[in-house]
Amino acid sequence: MDREMIKVFGQNLSFTNLDKLFWPEEGLTKAHLIKYYNDIAPFLLPYIHNRPLVMKRYPDGISGEAFYQKECPDYAPDWIETFPVHHSERVINYIICNDLATLLWLANQACIEVHAWLSTRDNIECPDIAVMDLDPAQGATFRDILQVALLVREALAEFGLQAFAKTSGARGLHLFIPIRPVYPFRDVARAMEYIAQLVNRVYPVRTTLERTVPKRKGKVYLDYLQNGRGKTMAFPYSLRPLPGALVSTPLTWDEVQSLNVNPVDFNINTIFERLKETGDLFRDLLVQEQSLDGILEILAGPHGLTLGTEG
């Protein structure tokens, strides 16, 4: 069957092109995509609650062309919730996904990934999550990334901050740091830049803050710029548009410390068995509100900007 109509919590949904291959090598179709988000919803929805989403759509699966869509389309059902955000040139009405019906509607729009803001509509200008995106350049291994993640963890711990690690679902690693939603994006980015500088200073051989991609060769890029206003991240349990149908999966710090993690092990076929074994490793992210005051006080002091980084 290539089309199906169902009712989800009172909302009528029409699923189309269910037989279309989305992961050709694995034989996974759009129907598999929709079923995945139906099954993962209890774990995923709490993390994206009240967060503006950016749609990244793959109408022909991972081997076809993709495009970003920020504005909620005119044809969306009237029960799809939106939130207006003022940007320099216009207002964008972002989709808010707080329920299963909306999540499945997004899946039917061929949204393989779940990209969300780091702030919620409750305080859109102040994120409640800071991130450090560890991105490997050519020549860097995942083992390198895990070693760098441990250094970032140590640097954060010096300021009483706890981070939660997850595979990006691609080649990298994301560290999510829950914070009090009282700091503007600019200050959060400055705080994460400072942490990145500290790590780069002690491990310059394998880390970089260099924005020019060819100059990063063999190193792990400490991407603190993901903390900018309007930036979105793949959230926990998001599928990724890569061979193997990889899932952005929370890790324990023991796993990171083992230096023996392979991102391909976390995918659409393994994630639910892992959840049975480990539970939701990110659950405390939702209840912690940590302070960046210690870092920001250093940055405001006379020696706050003396820390050098590579050119």
Side-chain angles (χ1 to χ4, degrees):
M1 181 184 296
D2 203 34
R3 184 182 183 92
E4 186 174 347
M5 294 280 298
I6 67 170
K7 183 168 282 194
V8 178
F9 293 107
Q11 309 298 352
N12 292 315
L13 285 171
S14 175
F15 297 116
T16 56
N17 301 315
L18 294 174
D19 295 335
K20 182 178 283 189
L21 281 173
F22 268 45
W23 285 268
E25 292 183 18
E26 294 77 16
L28 295 171
T29 66
K30 188 178 181 183
H32 290 100
L33 169 68
I34 293 170
K35 184 179 188 307
Y36 171 78
Y37 279 118
N38 179 76
D39 295 345
I40 204 69
F43 298 95
L44 169 63
L45 285 174
Y47 296 105
I48 61 174
H49 184 80
N50 277 352
R51 299 185 189 277
L53 300 187
V54 171
M55 303 167 69
K56 190 174 183 183
R57 300 174 62 183
Y58 295 79
D60 295 309
I62 68 168
S63 55
E65 298 223 355
F67 62 94
Y68 284 99
Q69 187 171 355
K70 296 181 179 181
E71 182 76 29
C72 180
D74 293 338
Y75 60 80
D78 57 11
W79 47 265
I80 295 287
E81 204 170 351
T82 63
F83 180 75
V85 178
H86 291 262
H87 294 273
S88 57
E89 297 180 355
R90 63 189 180 113
V91 174
I92 296 176
N93 296 290
Y94 291 89
I95 290 175
I96 299 290
C97 181
N98 288 348
D99 55 66
L100 178 61
T102 303
L103 184 62
L104 298 186
W105 181 84
L106 288 167
N108 190 59
Q109 304 307 303
C111 295
I112 291 177
E113 301 177 283
V114 176
H115 281 269
W117 277 51
L118 298 174
S119 61
T120 72
R121 64 179 175 184
D122 300 325
N123 191 352
I124 197 64
E125 300 301 336
C126 296
D128 62 348
I129 297 173
V131 298
M132 188 71 76
D133 184 359
L134 304 182
D135 186 14
Q138 182 182 0
T141 67
F142 202 75
R143 183 183 178 90
D144 292 331
I145 293 173
L146 295 171
Q147 290 175 324
V148 172
L150 292 171
L151 290 176
V152 175
R153 184 194 189 197
E154 285 184 37
L156 289 167
E158 290 296 316
F159 297 95
L161 295 167
Q162 179 184 358
F164 294 76
K166 69 179 181 69
T167 64
S168 69
R171 297 180 60 242
L173 195 76
H174 295 159
L175 301 183
F176 276 27
I177 304 108
I179 58 176
R180 290 189 293 129
V182 296
Y183 309 100
F185 282 99
R186 184 192 311 106
D187 287 349
V188 176
R190 288 174 64 236
M192 291 302 104
E193 179 184 15
Y194 184 74
I195 294 296
Q197 289 174 330
L198 290 175
V199 173
N200 178 239
R201 186 173 67 169
V202 300
Y203 199 26
V205 175
R206 281 288 179 266
T207 65
T208 179
L209 279 72
E210 175 58 61
R211 297 189 195 183
T212 307
V213 174
K215 294 182 180 180
R216 300 178 191 167
K217 191 172 182 180
K219 297 185 177 183
V220 176
Y221 177 48
L222 297 155
D223 190 357
Y224 62 87
L225 295 172
Q226 292 294 343
N227 294 282
R229 183 182 189 270
K231 295 279 190 178
T232 60
M233 295 289 293
F235 262 58
Y237 309 114
S238 170
L239 278 165
R240 303 307 299 272
L242 295 169
L246 305 186
V247 173
S248 184
T249 302
L251 301 173
T252 68
W253 280 107
D254 284 343
E255 287 176 310
V256 177
Q257 199 150 12
S258 76
L259 303 180
N260 186 29
V261 174
N262 190 341
V264 302
D265 292 337
F266 309 104
N267 56 65
I268 196 172
N269 294 316
T270 63
I271 186 64
F272 292 103
E273 189 60 37
R274 177 176 172 82
L275 282 167
K276 285 181 185 177
E277 295 173 1
T278 67
D280 180 10
L281 298 174
F282 263 38
R283 58 187 174 272
D284 288 343
L285 179 83
L286 298 173
V287 296
Q288 291 194 22
E289 291 190 351
Q290 302 178 111
S291 172
L292 296 179
D293 290 354
I295 302 175
L296 295 175
E297 285 169 8
I298 289 176
L299 292 174
H303 305 294
L305 298 177
T306 60
L307 193 62
T309 61
E310 68 203 59

